[in-house]
Amino acid sequence: MLRIFTVLTMLASGTLTSQLPEFAQQYRQRLGGAIDALDQVMADFRRDAADYGLTVPEAIDRQKASADPFIQARGASIERTSQRLVHLKDQRSGFETASPFERILILVQSPDRELAQATAEDYAPAIPVTPVGLVSAGAGAAGGFILVWFLSGLVRLTRRRAPA
């Protein structure tokens, strides 16, 4: 029974991790569109600020200092948009120079929540026929084996210590 459970766990974890390279690829494809949209928002804001002789930070500070709660909220919102845009551009740069394995790490280390959620909602699984996909599947299968081995060891240990 333990062998069957081990094999099933290895298959499930291997299948799951084999999808990481494809998920990273689909995330990367969405990244450019998100950057373009946020660039447009920031370009409009930059233009509006310049029309009043303000830099972007000055305009944001003015909004955040406003007595009107709505204007304060817009200032905080545009500040988050600006920070998100910087993060996404940094991430795109990282993806452009990274190896396929490093792309997975970049995605796992600092995903953009909105972008990752949108990618997951439209995600289309793919069969991992690339070396990266196969290694990811193997790593997941190995992780599943280690998990079952560890858990079965804990069960055996508790059975030995249990009073007869």
Side-chain angles (χ1 to χ4, degrees):
M1 187 70 161
L2 180 61
R3 287 183 186 159
I4 292 171
F5 181 69
T6 300
V7 168
L8 291 175
T9 301
M10 290 175 68
L11 283 172
S13 59
T15 300
L16 181 66
T17 57
S18 74
Q19 296 304 299
L20 287 173
E22 180 60 23
F23 187 84
Q25 173 63 22
Q26 291 181 30
Y27 179 93
R28 263 181 73 206
Q29 290 170 348
R30 289 178 166 271
L31 188 60
I35 289 171
D36 290 345
L38 294 177
D39 261 339
Q40 184 61 52
V41 169
M42 290 307 300
D44 290 344
F45 187 80
R46 204 172 6 266
R47 190 172 33 257
D48 291 343
D51 286 349
Y52 289 90
L54 300 169
T55 65
V56 168
E58 289 169 342
I60 290 171
D61 288 343
R62 182 180 284 187
Q63 285 183 321
K64 289 170 60 179
S66 173
D68 184 336
F70 173 74
I71 302 299
Q72 287 176 359
R74 282 301 294 145
S77 173
I78 199 72
E79 186 173 49
R80 283 190 306 274
T81 298
S82 178
Q83 292 167 350
R84 181 175 181 223
L85 180 58
V86 168
H87 171 72
L88 292 179
K89 285 182 174 182
D90 288 346
Q91 201 171 51
R92 180 178 60 187
S93 287
F95 275 130
E96 288 172 354
T97 60
S99 73
F101 289 109
E102 291 170 327
R103 289 180 189 141
I104 295 170
L105 290 175
I106 289 169
L107 176 61
V108 170
Q109 287 173 346
S110 64
D112 179 79
R113 290 179 194 246
E114 291 177 44
L115 193 56
Q117 183 176 352
T119 303
E121 289 170 1
D122 292 336
Y123 179 69
I127 297 173
V129 294
T130 63
V132 176
L134 296 174
V135 170
S136 292
F145 175 79
I146 290 168
L147 178 66
V148 171
W149 176 78
F150 177 75
L151 293 175
S152 65
L154 284 177
V155 168
R156 284 192 299 271
L157 182 64
T158 56
R159 284 185 183 164
R160 282 188 217 153
R161 291 187 178 189

